[in-house]
Amino acid sequence: MPELPEVETVMRGLQARLEGRILRRAVVRRPDLRWPLPVNLAERLTGARVTSFRRRAKYILMRLDSGWSVLIHLGMSGRMLLEPIGRNDITLHEHIEIETDDGWRVGFVDPRRFGSVDLIETDREDEHRLLAGLGPEPLDDAFSVALLSAALAGKKTPIKSALLDQTIVAGLGNIYVCEALFRSGISPLRLAGTIPGARAKRLVPAIKATLTEAIAAGGSSLRDYVQTNGELGYFQHAWKVYGREGEPCPACPEQSLPCAGVQRIVQAGRSTFYCVRKQH
DNA sequence: CAAGAATCCTGTCAGC
DNA sequence: TGCTGACAGGATTCTT
C-alpha cells in the first residue's frame, strides 16, 4: 500500500487518535514479520503514554514517554486498524493489537509480512539502521535541484530506478515515481546522469507537487484503504499513467504519433507506465 | 562498485 | 467453478 503520501496519511490518523493516550494492553500474535519483532515489544508498549508522531520516508515513528520510539514500516500490504474496542473480531493477519486507555484498538495488519516494527531510543531515532542511510525528504526545502543533481550526477542507472533508490530521495515508490516523471516530461528510461540541469529543474517541483497533491487527497487506495478511519484515499483517480496501460495519454492530442497511449514496460523488475511522446 | 535478479509472503484477478 | 500464472504500493540480499 504505502508510499510517502499514504504513510503520511496513516501517521496523521494515528496522531489524531493516539497522541496523549496511554497504551493499556498490547498483544503480539505473530512476531515473524520482515524482521523478527523485538521480544519485549508488548512489554515496552504496555503502560506507556504516546507523546508524539513523526514520519521519515515511509516509516512512522511513535514516541512514548518512556524514551522509546516505535518504528513502523508498512511494507507492501501493511495497514493500521483503528477502531473502538468491543465485539470486534480479530482481523485476519492482525499481527499486533494494542488497546488505549480511552477504549480504542490499534491493529497492525499485514498479510504479506513485508512490514516491520522495531524499537529505538527516541533521541537516537536517526541512528536506526533502517533510517541511517536514507536520502533527503522530498518535501523538505533542503531537497533542491542542486541536491538531486548532485545525487544523480554520473549515475548510469535509469532515472526511474534512481528515484526508487531511498538513499537518493526517501519516500517515493513505484506509483509516484511514474507520476512525477510523467508530470516533468522525462522518460523513465533516461539515464540518471543526464538529469542534472534543465531536467532536474522540472523534476524536483514535479515530485513535490505530485506528493503534495496526493497527501491532500488522503493518498491512493488500491485494494485496501489507507486512512485509519477506514475511508479511502482518492488520489488513485488522479493518476495520469500508473495502472493505465493502453489508455490514451492524458497529455497528447488524440492519435498524435508517436503517442501510442500509456505504455507499460518493466524496469528492474517493476512496472513502469509512461508516454513515449510526452516523455523523453 | 554498480546494476539487475531473486527473494521474502499472501491475495487477487485474468484467462482458460 | 476451478485451476494456473502473472502481478501487486517495498527493500534487502545475492549475482553478474
Side-chain angles (χ1 to χ4, degrees):
Chain A
M1 156 170 75
E3 300 181 35
L4 188 154
E6 291 76 38
V7 175
E8 178 71 23
T9 301
V10 169
M11 187 210 67
R12 291 179 185 181
L14 293 173
Q15 188 170 40
R17 176 55 59 192
L18 297 180
E19 220 166 65
R21 304 308 348 146
I22 292 173
L23 307 177
R24 285 292 184 217
R25 196 174 83 95
V27 178
V28 171
R29 298 213 153 70
R30 264 201 94 140
D32 55 332
L33 304 187
R34 178 69 172 83
W35 288 284
L37 292 177
V39 289
N40 60 348
L41 178 63
E43 181 190 340
R44 287 262 185 241
L45 291 170
T46 304
R49 184 185 295 275
V50 179
T51 55
S52 63
F53 283 85
R54 172 195 175 204
R55 180 192 56 74
R56 173 74 172 109
K58 300 171 192 171
Y59 294 89
I60 294 171
L61 288 145
M62 178 172 75
R63 276 85 166 254
L64 307 176
D65 65 352
S66 56
W68 288 89
S69 294
V70 184
L71 179 71
I72 301 167
H73 193 275
L74 298 172
M76 199 85 116
S77 59
R79 60 190 170 91
M80 299 301 297
L81 201 67
L82 201 51
E83 58 187 21
I85 296 172
R87 62 185 201 298
N88 307 307
D89 293 329
I90 299 305
T91 300
L92 194 62
H93 305 300
E94 185 175 348
H95 308 310
I96 303 171
E97 184 193 3
I98 303 169
E99 291 178 5
T100 69
D101 61 343
D102 65 342
W104 283 72
R105 160 159 161 253
V106 187
F108 178 89
V109 181
D110 184 10
R112 294 176 75 179
R113 285 185 283 124
F114 289 175
S116 61
V117 176
D118 202 2
L119 293 164
I120 178 82
E121 288 103 312
T122 300
D123 54 12
R124 295 175 47 200
E125 278 175 359
D126 292 317
E127 297 171 34
H128 193 283
R129 66 183 180 88
L130 296 173
L131 304 188
L134 292 172
E137 282 290 322
L139 293 177
D140 279 1
D141 289 342
F143 179 66
S144 61
V145 173
L147 195 69
L148 180 63
S149 296
L152 296 178
K155 290 196 79 74
K156 293 191 171 61
T157 192
I159 184 61
K160 163 74 190 309
S161 304
L163 293 177
L164 286 175
D165 181 345
Q166 302 294 298
T167 69
I168 290 177
V169 54
L172 293 177
N174 210 31
I175 294 175
Y176 297 105
V177 166
C178 290
E179 292 299 314
L181 286 173
F182 176 80
R183 189 171 188 135
S184 52
I186 296 169
S187 167
L189 296 163
R190 173 172 286 283
L191 298 189
T194 69
I195 297 297
R199 294 188 186 93
K201 217 168 167 178
R202 298 203 307 273
L203 181 54
V204 167
I207 289 171
K208 290 176 187 278
T210 302
L211 294 175
T212 301
E213 290 172 16
I215 290 170
S220 302
S221 298
L222 269 70
R223 294 153 199 87
D224 33 37
Y225 55 77
V226 300
Q227 305 200 52
T228 45
N229 59 11
E231 289 177 15
L232 296 170
Y234 53 88
F235 193 74
Q236 66 276 13
H237 304 300
W239 294 345
K240 305 289 189 195
V241 287
Y242 186 85
R244 297 191 178 280
E245 182 181 16
E247 294 183 29
C249 166
C252 294
E254 286 205 36
Q255 311 270 319
S256 53
L257 293 171
C259 175
V262 178
Q263 307 291 300
R264 184 179 84 95
I265 58 173
V266 176
Q267 293 180 284
R270 313 203 56 195
S271 290
T272 298
F273 299 88
Y274 76 116
C275 168
V276 296
R277 178 174 177 272
K278 174 179 159 71
Q279 296 173 251
H280 42 88

